[in-house]
Amino acid sequence: QVQLVESGGGLVQAGGSLRLSCAASGRILSINAMNWYRQGPGNQRELVASITSGGSTNYADSVKGRFTISRDNAKNVYLQMNSLKPEDTAVYYCNVRVLTTLLQTYDGWGQGTQVTVSS
Protein backbone atom coordinates (compact mmCIF):
# COMPACT_ATOMS: atom_id res chain seq x y z
CA GLN A 1 0.00 0.00 0.00
CA VAL A 2 0.96 3.68 -0.25
CA GLN A 3 1.52 6.08 2.63
CA LEU A 4 1.82 9.88 2.45
CA VAL A 5 3.40 12.06 5.14
CA GLU A 6 2.89 15.84 4.96
CA SER A 7 4.85 18.52 6.77
CA GLY A 8 5.59 22.23 6.66
CA GLY A 9 2.31 23.79 7.70
CA GLY A 10 2.06 26.44 10.37
CA LEU A 11 1.18 30.02 11.19
CA VAL A 12 2.51 32.90 9.13
CA GLN A 13 1.71 36.57 8.62
CA ALA A 14 0.26 37.85 5.37
CA GLY A 15 3.02 38.28 2.82
CA GLY A 16 5.11 35.50 4.30
CA SER A 17 6.12 32.13 2.89
CA LEU A 18 5.79 28.46 3.73
CA ARG A 19 7.05 25.29 2.06
CA LEU A 20 4.92 22.16 2.28
CA SER A 21 6.42 18.72 1.77
CA CYS A 22 4.85 15.36 1.06
CA ALA A 23 6.78 12.10 1.15
CA ALA A 24 5.33 9.03 -0.51
CA SER A 25 6.33 5.54 0.49
CA GLY A 26 5.25 1.98 -0.03
CA ARG A 27 5.13 -0.35 -2.98
CA ILE A 28 5.19 2.28 -5.74
CA LEU A 29 6.20 1.25 -9.23
CA SER A 30 5.84 4.75 -10.66
CA ILE A 31 4.05 8.03 -9.92
CA ASN A 32 1.63 9.31 -12.53
CA ALA A 33 0.65 12.58 -10.87
CA MET A 34 1.08 14.45 -7.60
CA ASN A 35 -1.35 17.11 -6.40
CA TRP A 36 -2.05 19.54 -3.60
CA TYR A 37 -5.63 20.24 -2.52
CA ARG A 38 -6.90 22.56 0.16
CA GLN A 39 -10.08 23.11 2.10
CA GLY A 40 -10.56 26.38 3.94
CA PRO A 41 -13.17 27.12 6.59
CA GLY A 42 -16.58 27.24 4.95
CA ASN A 43 -15.17 26.30 1.54
CA GLN A 44 -15.22 23.28 -0.72
CA ARG A 45 -12.07 21.25 -1.20
CA GLU A 46 -10.21 22.70 -4.18
CA LEU A 47 -7.32 21.56 -6.33
CA VAL A 48 -4.45 24.00 -5.80
CA ALA A 49 -1.63 22.60 -7.93
CA SER A 50 -0.64 19.48 -9.80
CA ILE A 51 2.45 18.03 -11.42
CA THR A 52 2.72 15.08 -13.79
CA SER A 53 5.46 12.49 -14.07
CA GLY A 54 6.85 14.52 -16.97
CA GLY A 55 7.03 17.70 -14.90
CA SER A 56 4.05 19.52 -16.39
CA THR A 57 2.37 21.76 -13.80
CA ASN A 58 -1.01 23.39 -13.37
CA TYR A 59 -2.33 25.86 -10.79
CA ALA A 60 -5.58 27.28 -9.56
CA ASP A 61 -6.08 30.86 -10.72
CA SER A 62 -6.07 32.08 -7.13
CA VAL A 63 -2.47 30.95 -6.53
CA LYS A 64 -0.83 31.50 -9.92
CA GLY A 65 2.35 33.51 -9.58
CA ARG A 66 2.55 32.85 -5.84
CA PHE A 67 2.72 29.05 -5.43
CA THR A 68 5.09 26.58 -7.06
CA ILE A 69 4.70 22.81 -7.08
CA SER A 70 7.79 20.68 -7.62
CA ARG A 71 9.15 17.21 -7.08
CA ASP A 72 12.56 15.66 -6.55
CA ASN A 73 14.18 12.43 -7.71
CA ALA A 74 12.81 10.66 -4.66
CA LYS A 75 9.08 10.20 -4.09
CA ASN A 76 8.54 13.70 -2.70
CA VAL A 77 6.39 16.61 -3.79
CA TYR A 78 6.63 20.18 -2.53
CA LEU A 79 4.47 23.29 -2.54
CA GLN A 80 6.37 26.55 -2.16
CA MET A 81 3.88 29.21 -1.07
CA ASN A 82 4.93 32.85 -1.31
CA SER A 83 3.06 36.11 -0.76
CA LEU A 84 0.55 34.31 1.42
CA LYS A 85 -2.87 35.84 1.96
CA PRO A 86 -5.43 35.25 4.70
CA GLU A 87 -7.67 33.52 2.15
CA ASP A 88 -4.94 30.88 1.75
CA THR A 89 -5.79 29.65 5.24
CA ALA A 90 -6.82 26.02 4.87
CA VAL A 91 -5.93 22.42 5.49
CA TYR A 92 -3.67 21.34 2.65
CA TYR A 93 -3.78 17.73 1.43
CA CYS A 94 -1.24 15.84 -0.62
CA ASN A 95 -2.65 13.48 -3.24
CA VAL A 96 -0.78 11.04 -5.48
CA ARG A 97 -1.83 8.69 -8.23
CA VAL A 98 0.61 5.83 -8.59
CA LEU A 99 1.16 2.50 -10.27
CA THR A 100 1.63 -0.11 -7.57
CA THR A 101 1.98 -2.91 -10.13
CA LEU A 102 1.86 -3.04 -13.91
CA LEU A 103 -1.87 -3.79 -13.60
CA GLN A 104 -2.92 -1.69 -10.58
CA THR A 105 -3.28 2.03 -9.87
CA TYR A 106 -3.81 3.68 -6.48
CA ASP A 107 -5.04 7.13 -5.49
CA GLY A 108 -3.58 8.08 -2.11
CA TRP A 109 -4.23 10.95 0.31
CA GLY A 110 -2.31 12.43 3.20
CA GLN A 111 -3.90 13.43 6.49
CA GLY A 112 -3.52 17.15 5.78
CA THR A 113 -1.44 19.96 7.24
CA GLN A 114 -2.87 23.22 8.57
CA VAL A 115 -1.79 26.52 7.06
CA THR A 116 -2.97 29.67 8.83
CA VAL A 117 -2.25 33.14 7.46
CA SER A 118 -2.94 36.09 9.74
CA SER A 119 -3.91 39.57 8.57
Side-chain angles (χ1 to χ4, degrees), residues 34-93:
M34 309 183 81
N35 312 288
W36 286 99
Y37 288 79
R38 71 183 182 189
Q39 186 166 15
N43 294 325
Q44 305 272 22
R45 187 173 66 179
E46 301 285 348
L47 177 63
V48 177
S50 62
I51 186 167
T52 68
S53 60
S56 179
T57 60
N58 197 21
Y59 299 93
D61 288 341
S62 60
V63 307
K64 284 181 179 177
R66 300 188 297 118
F67 290 12
T68 303
I69 188 170
S70 62
R71 65 177 191 174
D72 60 20
N73 291 328
K75 299 179 180 65
N76 302 310
V77 63
Y78 307 94
L79 187 67
Q80 179 66 47
M81 305 185 295
N82 299 326
S83 302
L84 283 163
K85 304 175 180 179
E87 52 262 45
D88 296 319
T89 295
V91 178
Y92 285 72
Y93 298 92

